[in-house]
Amino acid sequence: MGTKEKISEELLLEEEVLKQNEIVLFNDEVNTFDHVINTLISVCDHTPEQAEQCSLIVHHNGKCTVKTGEYDDLKPRCSRLLQAGLSAELV
């Protein structure tokens, strides 16, 4: 096995070990764009542009992954989204 193949294999194994979780935000007919955008900025550390794009994706596609990372970091963020009245799930 060549060096390049070995490095590629090691990276694939490392990716499997560092499995990332996701917060998925779902569309609803209750919350305004402004509320969703402001909540994503404060809870998920989005830039205003990121938050606006995510809100548009959720509106048009029904859902959007708004944050990825380790479970321990995402769990309280997802809880805060839910407390703000948004529909979100940690996967």
Side-chain angles (χ1 to χ4, degrees):
M1 179 183 302
T3 304
K4 189 174 184 178
E5 290 84 9
K6 185 172 182 169
I7 290 171
S8 294
E9 184 179 343
E10 289 173 0
L11 288 174
L12 287 173
L13 289 172
E14 194 172 308
E15 284 178 16
E16 288 178 17
V17 171
L18 298 174
K19 172 122 174 69
Q20 297 288 298
N21 294 95
E22 302 176 340
I23 296 176
V24 179
L25 183 65
F26 296 94
N27 192 30
D28 63 46
E29 302 300 323
V30 179
N31 292 294
T32 65
F33 278 99
D34 284 342
H35 177 64
V36 173
I37 290 167
N38 291 331
T39 304
L40 289 174
I41 291 169
S42 67
V43 173
C44 295
D45 300 325
H46 282 202
T47 64
E49 295 81 10
Q50 254 182 316
E52 182 179 1
Q53 288 296 312
C54 284
S55 69
L56 290 170
I57 292 169
V58 168
H59 179 71
H60 291 289
N61 295 346
K63 66 180 180 177
C64 177
T65 297
V66 294
K67 191 78 173 172
T68 59
E70 295 185 21
Y71 181 86
D72 291 341
D73 175 52
L74 298 182
K75 179 68 175 159
R77 292 180 192 266
C78 189
S79 294
R80 288 176 57 202
L81 291 174
L82 295 172
Q83 289 169 355
L86 302 184
S87 299
E89 181 179 84
L90 182 55
V91 293

